[in-house]
Amino acid sequence: MSIRDQKPLRVVLYEGRDSTPLEGEQRFAAVSRLLQQGFAITRVGGAGRTAPADDSAALVLGRFGGEKAADFSAGTSNGQVRVRDITGLDAEQVAAEVEAARSERQAPAPGAWKPWFPVIDYDRCTNCMQCLSFCLFGVYGADDEGHIQVQNQDNCKTNCPACSRVCPEAAIMFPKYKAGPINGDVVKDSDLQREKMKIDISALLGGDIYSMLRQRSERAQSRFSKERDSDKALNERQKCLTKLAQAGDIPAEVLMSLPTPDEILRRAGEARAKAQAALAVQQR
Amino acid sequence: MPPADNTPAPGILYCHCTYAQIIDPAVKAGVLRRLCDSGRSFEAVADLCELSARRDPALARLARGPGVKIAACYPRAVKWLFASAGSPLDPGATEVVNLRELPEDAAAARLLADDLQTNLPPDKSSAAATSTSSPAS
C-alpha cells in the first residue's frame, strides 16, 4: 500500500475543559515517548490552535475520570474516535495504550518506512526532466501539464541523494541529508559550481551514463560470448559502481541492489520516454 | 505578553525528526520540554517529511491558519514539504524555527514568542508561485 493511502492513528492529548491537565514533566515524558514510537500528537488545552480533525481514526487521551470520559466518547460523530483515561498512567503505560489502540484499529505501524524522498524547490526547478530521466525507481513523474512531480515517494532508496546530484539547478532537496544545499540550506553560487563539478556523472563516466551502461552491457555480452569471463564482468561493474558511489554519495547497499545492466537500460528507457513526453506537453 | 491587537496565537508544529540523527538530541529535548511546560496547544509529529508524503490534512489546516510556527529544519525544505503536500504555506504568516542550526535557547524562545518573524524563502515570481500549486493538484 502506498504511503498516500495509509491512514495513521491520530493521538490527541486532551487537557481542556472537563479534564485535569498533566504536569509539564509528565506531558513531556508522554509526548516524547509517543514521538519516539512514531506517532503524531495533538496537544489540546490552553492558548493556541491545533488541527486535529479529519477522517482518520483518533485516540483521545486525557485525565477525564470515569464517567466524563464516556460522555466525551458519546459526543463524537463517526465512531472513529476512542477515548482513554490516562489518570495514573506513566509514559510507558500511555505508549502501551496507544499501541494497543493502533493495533486494534489496524492502523499502519509507524516507523515501517523511513521518510526519505526528494523534495523539489520549484523556485529553482526549470523542469528540465533530468531527474525523471535519471531515476530508475519511478519516483518522478509529470502532471498533465508536463510539470515534474515527485509521485512515488516510497519508491525512493533510503539515503540515496543521487538525483539531487544530477539536478543542474540544485533544486532537489533531501531534508534529512547531512549537508547543504541538498538538505534545504540556502543555495550559494559556490554550491552550484561544486555540485556541477561533483556530479556531472556524464562527464565522470565519459558520456551519457545510460549510453555508457549500454556500451558496457554490449561489451559484456560480447565478452561473455567469447570468453565467459564472469569475474571480469563483475570487476567491471564493481569499478563502475565505486565511481558512482564516490561521486554521488550513494550508499553501497543501494548500488549493490541495482538490477542487471539490461534491466537498468530498460528502466532508463522508460524514464527517458516519460521525460520526453512531459517535455513535449510543455512545448505544445 | 500576548499581542496587543488580540491576534490569535500562532499555531505550533514541532517535528521530532525521529527517524534521522540530524538534529542534536539535546536541542530537540530542550525545545520539546519547554513547549510542554508552556501549556500551549500544539501539534507534535514524529516526522514532518512523512506527513508531507502522506499529504496529511493536518498540514492543510495549519497552513490555512492565521499564523504558524514550525520547529523543524531549513525553511526552504519546510516550504516545499508543505507545497508538495498540496498545502502551501503563507510566506506572510509562517516562521520556521530551524532546529538544525539554532541552539536550544534561541529555538525555544522563537517557538514560544508571541510575535511572528516570517522567514520562508520568497517565491521566485508570481509565475513560479502558480506552478507550485500544480504538483499538488
Side-chain angles (χ1 to χ4, degrees):
Chain A
M1 182 188 287
S2 163
I3 185 79
R4 289 188 183 173
D5 300 323
Q6 295 179 4
K7 294 266 173 99
L9 178 72
R10 301 194 75 88
V11 180
V12 178
L13 179 58
Y14 181 81
E15 300 183 79
R17 199 175 56 191
D18 293 338
S19 74
T20 305
L22 281 68
E23 284 74 47
E25 186 57 34
Q26 291 174 314
R27 187 179 303 127
F28 170 72
V31 171
S32 293
R33 185 69 185 82
L34 290 172
L35 289 172
Q36 284 300 331
Q37 223 166 307
F39 290 100
I41 303 103
T42 298
R43 191 265 166 174
V44 182
R49 297 174 299 107
T50 56
D54 60 34
D55 59 354
S56 300
L59 177 67
V60 180
L61 307 172
R63 287 173 166 175
F64 302 110
E67 293 179 11
K68 278 185 178 162
D71 291 342
F72 192 119
S73 187
T76 60
S77 59
N78 59 5
Q80 288 280 72
V81 179
R82 302 283 170 85
V83 178
R84 293 280 189 281
D85 192 331
I86 57 169
T87 304
L89 301 188
D90 64 21
E92 288 301 318
Q93 291 167 319
V94 169
E97 287 282 335
V98 172
E99 176 53 28
R102 183 206 63 76
S103 177
E104 178 192 336
R105 309 301 292 274
Q106 298 185 320
W113 173 60
K114 180 178 177 179
W116 172 275
F117 56 88
V119 178
I120 299 173
D121 178 345
Y122 286 92
D123 286 337
R124 304 192 64 83
C125 177
T126 59
N127 219 32
C128 69
M129 300 290 163
Q130 293 265 2
C131 49
L132 198 162
S133 299
F134 178 77
C135 178
L136 296 173
F137 303 104
V139 173
Y140 293 94
D143 67 11
D144 293 343
E145 295 170 339
H147 294 126
I148 187 72
Q149 290 182 318
V150 177
Q151 290 184 338
N152 298 298
Q153 283 93 337
D154 36 2
N155 278 4
C156 193
K157 298 297 175 189
T158 301
N159 295 333
C160 176
C163 58
S164 68
R165 302 302 186 112
V166 300
C167 176
E169 302 296 334
I172 297 175
M173 297 173 279
F174 286 86
K176 292 183 175 67
Y177 191 67
K178 61 191 173 195
I182 293 174
N183 62 11
D185 200 355
V186 174
V187 181
K188 300 186 278 285
D189 287 345
S190 55
D191 290 326
L192 272 180
Q193 290 309 315
R194 194 175 64 224
E195 292 304 316
K196 274 179 184 163
M197 286 177 64
K198 202 184 270 181
I199 195 76
D200 186 349
I201 291 180
S202 304
L204 179 78
L205 295 168
D208 179 312
I209 182 172
Y210 295 124
S211 104
M212 181 277 301
L213 282 167
R214 192 179 306 111
Q215 286 164 11
R216 278 174 189 269
S217 178
E218 286 163 1
R219 280 205 302 271
Q221 282 169 10
S222 163
R223 191 164 56 237
F224 285 149
S225 64
K226 288 175 189 164
E227 314 171 10
R228 300 278 174 196
D229 188 348
S230 56
D231 286 347
K232 207 167 177 181
L234 185 61
N235 283 341
E236 276 287 293
R237 188 169 189 223
Q238 280 174 338
K239 272 187 204 166
C240 170
L241 295 181
T242 303
K243 272 189 178 179
L244 274 170
Q246 289 170 347
D249 195 16
I250 304 169
E253 56 269 29
V254 172
L255 290 171
M256 296 315 290
S257 68
L258 283 175
T260 63
D262 286 341
E263 176 62 11
I264 288 176
L265 288 173
R266 189 189 68 73
R267 292 192 198 179
E270 279 182 5
R272 191 148 40 196
K274 276 166 70 177
Q276 284 167 353
L279 288 169
V281 168
Q282 282 180 63
Q283 287 162 2
R284 274 184 206 154
Chain B
M1 179 180 291
D5 61 359
N6 288 330
T7 304
I12 291 178
L13 173 63
Y14 166 87
C15 172
H16 201 61
C17 202
T18 297
Y19 306 118
Q21 285 77 49
I22 53 173
I23 297 174
D24 183 345
V27 171
K28 288 197 291 188
V31 170
L32 182 61
R33 184 181 296 277
R34 291 212 228 169
L35 179 58
C36 287
D37 286 344
S38 74
R40 298 275 296 271
S41 295
F42 59 83
E43 306 279 347
V45 301
D47 193 295
L48 177 58
C49 294
E50 185 180 10
L51 266 71
S52 172
R54 182 177 282 128
R55 298 186 168 209
D56 195 299
L59 298 183
R61 294 198 186 86
L62 279 162
R64 279 200 301 265
V68 63
K69 294 198 180 203
I70 302 167
C73 53
Y74 290 98
R76 189 166 73 99
V78 172
K79 170 180 175 171
W80 294 108
L81 280 169
F82 271 76
S84 64
S87 309
L89 290 161
D90 178 355
T94 304
E95 177 176 354
V96 177
V97 178
N98 185 351
L99 300 180
R100 289 185 77 157
E101 294 280 342
L102 290 173
E104 175 194 331
D105 284 348
R110 281 314 315 151
L111 189 63
L112 296 172
D114 287 318
D115 67 310
L116 201 62
Q117 294 182 2
T118 59
N119 60 352
L120 280 190
D123 288 342
K124 189 173 164 186
S125 66
S126 55
T130 305
S131 76
T132 63
S133 60
S134 73
S137 59

